[in-house]
Amino acid sequence: MKVVVNSQVVLSRVPEGPIAPYLVMFADSLSATGYSVAWIHRHVLLGACFSQWLGRKPVALQDITTDHLTRYLRYRARRLQPRCGDHAALVHLVEFLRREGVVPEERLAVPEPFSVEHRVRAYEVYLREERALAAATIVYYVRFARDFLKYRFGAKAAKLSCLSASDVVRFVRHQAPRLHRKCAKLMTTALRSFLRYVRYCGDVDADLAAAVPVVPNWSMASIPRAIAPQQVRQLLASIDRRTATGRRDYAIMLLLARLGLRSGEVASLKLEDIDWKAGLLSVHGKSGHRNELPLPADVGKAIAAYLKRDRPHSASRYVFLRVRAPACAFQGGGAITSIVRHRLQRSDVDAPTFGAHQFRHGLATEMLRRGASLGEIGDLLGHRHLQTTMIYTKVDLEALRELAPPWPGSAP
């Protein structure tokens, strides 16, 4: 007996269990977010099987947890060959049920008072609500704060009043050799932030942040790895703009190359950030800093072409969306970096790196060679301090050669 779920899905039997009444709505939501018919059928079939298993236990809708997903997939694996994506499909189903209000949000375990996790969560709230730091910065700061407290207290209660300067020094000496120099530098910055927070809360009187050792990080020690203008032209020419993906990626590459945006700034760009009449682009930089930039004609044309022809129908306000379902915004700058890596690998461009930041370096380097001042470069890149822009003076090799005296004994 065949059962029609909706116009795209037909099952061989009537769905049973607590989720069965919601499978039609689930199928419709998948269709609305751009999933193919095959993927919708797979999601619904898996959901029907999961619902039947829940009904046999029995488990009510309001009692479903992530543990039930794991237990069902183990049960299923004993009878059928596991398929990649089964867990993600069930997570998608449960998230849909939560949005519909039929499955409550799963309560996270409340950490014990004064435990390491309790202290870390309080610090995270402080960074987000009091300091208003970027989400990526909070992730790093919290990570190192947790590592420090676990190193000092282990599984015991984290009595912050017991912290001392020697604890701080020992932790840095233990961790720094294991980390890349830049990551070690970030660790010490995060540790100072946490120790200032501890003093701010009144848990300690001493300024333990001053006890954090300095990790050697010579200013302007390396030359920025910048992609050359001809390499940018070659990369842009290699993108097939006859496809929807190609037109989206071409617009992204132009934003990186022409305006020097960070990958995260491209990912967070929203429709209201583009002032088409004034020809301006509002960029959300680090720490909530906003920067108004002129929108070049070729960049605006590429974005408009993508928006008119290729952007999936979505309620999302973000400019760039995933091509594959679900049609949603990118999770962060990492997705933009992945697009850059993919495009460079498909082209014959021998770029310095596979990252997105090389376009930013390339733009600054080319501006400097064309006579732009450091202030103008800093304004375009959204630098808040001139010292940040100073590193690009190292790449103006022609000017440096004119200033360099001849080597003793060299030919005149």
Side-chain angles (χ1 to χ4, degrees):
M1 176 182 177
K2 293 184 178 180
V3 179
V4 178
V5 175
N6 70 355
S7 59
Q8 296 177 309
V9 179
V10 178
L11 300 180
S12 59
R13 65 174 64 180
V14 178
E16 302 174 358
I19 300 177
Y22 303 96
L23 290 177
V24 174
M25 295 170 58
F26 180 52
D28 291 340
S29 73
L30 292 173
S31 178
T33 50
Y35 280 89
S36 66
V37 174
W39 273 96
I40 295 174
H41 185 274
R42 178 180 169 185
H43 276 63
V44 172
L45 178 60
L46 187 61
C49 295
F50 179 50
S51 179
Q52 185 180 46
W53 179 83
L54 290 172
R56 290 174 179 174
K57 286 301 170 182
V59 178
L61 274 174
Q62 62 269 22
D63 298 327
I64 295 176
T65 66
T66 53
D67 180 60
H68 290 114
L69 274 61
T70 303
R71 289 165 54 191
Y72 169 69
L73 289 175
R74 288 174 183 169
Y75 163 83
R76 183 180 177 86
R78 292 195 294 267
R79 291 158 176 78
L80 297 171
Q81 180 69 29
R83 297 182 64 181
C84 179
D86 282 353
H87 184 268
L90 289 181
V91 169
H92 196 171
L93 171 60
V94 173
E95 288 178 347
F96 164 77
L97 294 173
R98 284 177 179 155
R99 289 196 301 270
E100 293 299 316
V102 295
V103 173
E105 290 291 335
E106 190 170 357
R107 293 183 179 181
L108 298 176
V110 178
E112 291 291 329
F114 309 115
S115 66
V116 168
E117 197 58 35
H118 181 268
R119 298 290 192 183
V120 168
R121 289 192 186 180
Y123 175 55
E124 182 178 0
V125 171
Y126 165 78
L127 293 177
R128 182 174 59 253
E129 298 183 0
E130 299 292 332
R131 297 289 310 282
L133 296 184
T137 303
I138 294 175
V139 168
Y140 279 111
Y141 279 26
V142 168
R143 166 195 162 188
F144 288 120
R146 181 182 287 110
D147 290 346
F148 171 61
L149 292 180
K150 285 184 176 180
Y151 175 83
R152 173 59 179 85
F153 298 105
K156 300 178 182 179
K159 296 182 180 179
L160 301 183
S161 59
C162 296
L163 290 175
S164 65
S166 59
D167 295 329
V168 176
V169 173
R170 280 198 302 268
F171 173 74
V172 174
R173 287 180 176 174
H174 178 265
Q175 292 291 102
R178 306 180 180 190
L179 303 174
H180 185 276
R181 179 171 53 83
K182 289 186 177 180
C183 190
K185 180 75 173 176
L186 178 58
M187 175 192 67
T188 57
T189 302
L191 191 55
R192 291 188 188 96
S193 168
F194 176 70
L195 293 173
R196 284 193 291 266
Y197 159 77
V198 170
R199 191 183 187 192
Y200 163 79
C201 292
D203 293 298
V204 297
D205 295 326
D207 183 12
L208 295 181
V212 178
V214 176
V215 175
N217 184 33
W218 294 276
S219 178
M220 303 173 63
S222 60
I223 296 177
R225 291 183 288 181
I227 188 170
Q230 62 271 21
Q231 292 176 320
V232 173
R233 290 192 291 269
Q234 184 181 349
L235 176 62
L236 292 173
S238 71
I239 299 175
D240 184 2
R241 284 184 277 165
R242 294 172 297 180
T243 67
T245 304
R247 286 187 287 270
R248 182 201 66 180
D249 292 356
Y250 182 77
I252 289 174
M253 294 298 166
L254 279 179
L255 282 169
L256 295 171
R258 298 284 190 265
L259 294 176
L261 299 190
R262 301 178 180 92
S263 57
E265 293 169 345
V266 175
S268 62
L269 194 64
K270 293 185 177 181
L271 297 173
E272 52 267 28
D273 293 330
I274 306 176
D275 187 339
W276 296 102
K277 292 183 178 180
L280 294 174
L281 192 70
S282 182
V283 178
H284 303 264
K286 291 184 176 180
S287 301
H289 181 68
R290 294 177 68 91
N291 192 22
E292 292 258 330
L293 299 177
L295 183 65
D298 57 343
V299 180
K301 184 178 179 181
I303 296 175
Y306 164 70
L307 294 177
K308 289 179 179 178
R309 301 176 58 180
D310 309 303
R311 186 177 183 272
H313 295 289
S314 173
S316 174
R317 301 300 298 171
Y318 289 95
V319 173
F320 298 107
L321 304 180
R322 287 163 44 99
V323 173
R324 295 182 179 179
C328 58
F330 297 123
Q331 294 300 309
I336 303 299
T337 301
S338 296
I339 291 174
V340 172
R341 182 185 302 109
H342 172 72
R343 287 299 172 184
L344 286 170
Q345 288 173 340
R346 295 191 62 180
S347 68
D348 295 326
V349 178
D350 185 20
T353 74
F354 283 116
H357 224 64
Q358 62 182 317
F359 294 94
R360 187 173 174 85
H361 294 325
L363 176 64
T365 301
E366 186 62 18
M367 288 179 65
L368 186 64
R369 287 174 177 164
R370 291 175 178 268
S373 68
L374 292 178
E376 292 171 332
I377 297 173
D379 288 342
L380 178 62
L381 299 185
H383 289 164
R384 303 178 70 177
H385 304 287
L386 185 61
Q387 184 66 24
T388 309
T389 317
M390 286 288 291
I391 193 171
Y392 294 109
T393 60
K394 298 181 64 176
V395 298
D396 194 359
L397 301 181
E398 296 302 324
L400 290 177
R401 287 193 184 99
E402 293 179 4
L403 296 175
W407 185 262
S410 61

